[in-house]
């Protein structure tokens, strides 16, 4: 890689990227893992059977919180989102593995987060009772203008330091948490359910959650992929209040 900084014009996004890049996950994984306790080696027969006939067992495991059978699967996602999302994301440590792009080893690209028109901007209420409501047109315009100007100024300062020979790992300190980063995140269904229970709002949730909208956007897209891979497990999760077993 050249040490000469690239001349790239800043761009702005209001969305996130979530791609399922690899998986070994299906409802049958829950069944053979659960049935080994009573069937031993015969539980391997579940690998070739239709899991639909055993959806009652999946529901029982979810309802009574027998969680370990939901760990015998794997999903790897490629995620592109603002840095502040990843800092919240990495609060989730059990059952997760992460590898993120490094500002020490590559020149960071000028892609920045600006909330879309549907992002509620105004926070009301006291701690524990927060409510977010839509901002005015003036507030929306102010947010967009201020963020974009700040991003442009910060990235110009970053480029100036790189051009002067300052190390990437030092120059990156001037960049804001609205900068987009990318990472691979690998989890199993149990750890994903715990994440979703905390980071998404849902009408079927027994326990209310109040996530920041941007990390909820990531969670929603991860859930769409998972629901396709493990539809019976996903249905049981919803049926039992979206509480991880």
């Amino acid at each position: 890689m050249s040490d000469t900084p690239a001349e790239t014009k800043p761009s702005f996004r209001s969305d996130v990227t979530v791609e399922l890049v690899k998986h070994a996950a299906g409802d049958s994984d829950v069944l053979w893992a659960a049935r080994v306790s009573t069937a031993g080696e015969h539980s391997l027969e579940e690998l070739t059977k239709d899991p639909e006939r055993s959806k009652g067992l999946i529901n029982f495991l979810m309802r009574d919180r027998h969680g370990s059978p939901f760990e015998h699967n794997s999903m790897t996602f490629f995620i592109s989102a603002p840095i502040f999302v990843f800092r919240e994301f990495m609060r989730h440590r059990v059952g997760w593995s992460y590898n993120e792009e490094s500002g020490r080893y590559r020149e960071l690209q000028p892609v920045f987060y600006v909330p879309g028109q549907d992002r509620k901007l105004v926070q009301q209420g006291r701690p524990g009772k927060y409510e977010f409501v839509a901002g005015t047109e003036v507030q929306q315009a102010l947010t967009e203008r201020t963020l974009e100007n700040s991003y442009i100024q910060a990235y110009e300062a970053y480029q100036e330091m790189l051009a002067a020979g300052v190390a990437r790992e030092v120059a990156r300190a001037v960049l804001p948490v609205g900068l987009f980063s990318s990472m691979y995140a690998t989890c199993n269904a149990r750890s994903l359910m715990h994440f979703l229970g905390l980071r998404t709002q849902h009408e079927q949730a027994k326990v209310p959650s109040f996530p920041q909208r941007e990390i909820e956007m990531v969670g929603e897209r991860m859930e769409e992929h998972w629901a396709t891979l493990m539809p019976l497990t996903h249905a049981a999760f919803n049926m039992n209040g979206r509480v991880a077993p």
Side-chain angles (χ1 to χ4, degrees):
M1 179 182 292
S2 170
D3 290 333
T4 303
E7 300 235 358
T8 308
K9 183 177 180 181
S11 62
F12 309 105
R13 292 179 58 180
S14 61
D15 62 334
V16 296
T17 298
V18 178
E19 298 177 20
L20 179 67
V21 297
K22 187 177 71 169
H23 68 86
D27 290 316
S28 60
D29 297 326
V30 180
L31 299 175
W32 56 254
R35 287 204 164 109
V36 72
S37 61
T38 57
E41 68 277 8
H42 297 295
S43 62
L44 291 173
E45 296 172 8
E46 298 297 332
L47 290 171
T48 59
K49 291 181 179 178
D50 181 6
E52 181 72 31
R53 67 179 180 79
S54 296
K55 65 181 179 181
L57 174 57
I58 292 176
N59 188 64
F60 161 75
L61 296 169
M62 191 78 68
R63 184 194 69 207
D64 287 11
R65 306 195 72 185
H66 297 288
S68 59
F70 297 99
E71 297 177 2
H72 294 271
N73 55 82
S74 177
M75 294 164 280
T76 298
F77 299 92
F78 175 79
I79 303 169
S80 180
I83 288 174
F84 67 81
V85 170
F86 288 175
R87 296 306 162 259
E88 284 194 339
F89 213 118
M90 291 175 186
R91 301 287 294 178
H92 299 268
R93 298 181 295 277
V94 178
W96 288 89
S97 297
Y98 304 106
N99 280 94
E100 184 181 355
E101 69 175 281
S102 174
R104 296 185 68 192
Y105 303 119
R106 68 168 304 194
E107 183 179 331
L108 298 172
Q109 299 304 298
V111 182
F112 299 97
Y113 177 74
V114 175
Q117 295 291 327
D118 58 344
R119 201 332 181 161
K120 296 178 180 178
L121 293 179
V122 180
Q123 178 179 299
Q124 298 177 340
R126 59 182 177 82
K129 293 281 188 178
Y130 287 136
E131 176 187 28
F132 283 83
V133 298
T136 65
E137 291 184 5
V138 171
Q139 289 170 322
Q140 185 72 40
L142 172 65
T143 300
E144 292 180 8
R145 182 178 71 253
T146 303
L147 285 176
E148 290 181 6
N149 289 342
S150 177
Y151 292 151
I152 291 169
Q153 182 178 6
Y155 198 76
E156 287 177 350
Y158 174 68
Q159 291 282 289
E160 182 179 3
M161 284 191 283
L162 292 181
V166 176
R168 295 186 185 97
E169 64 183 52
V170 176
R172 65 177 173 172
V174 77
L175 296 172
V177 294
L179 180 77
F180 268 71
S181 186
S182 60
M183 72 171 178
Y184 291 107
T186 299
C187 64
N188 58 56
R190 190 183 192 185
S191 54
L192 179 57
M193 285 186 278
H194 183 260
F195 176 89
L196 296 174
L198 292 172
R199 301 297 184 177
T200 61
Q201 291 183 314
H202 198 281
E203 60 183 8
Q204 290 179 273
K206 287 182 180 177
V207 181
S209 181
F210 306 95
Q212 183 163 342
R213 178 56 190 150
E214 288 76 15
I215 196 169
E216 185 178 34
M217 289 161 57
V218 173
E220 289 170 347
R221 286 155 179 76
M222 295 174 76
E223 184 168 0
E224 290 173 2
H225 289 295
W226 172 56
T228 300
L229 297 174
M230 303 179 71
L232 300 181
T233 303
H234 179 255
F237 175 59
N238 284 330
M239 189 184 308
N240 290 278
R242 293 176 67 86
V243 176

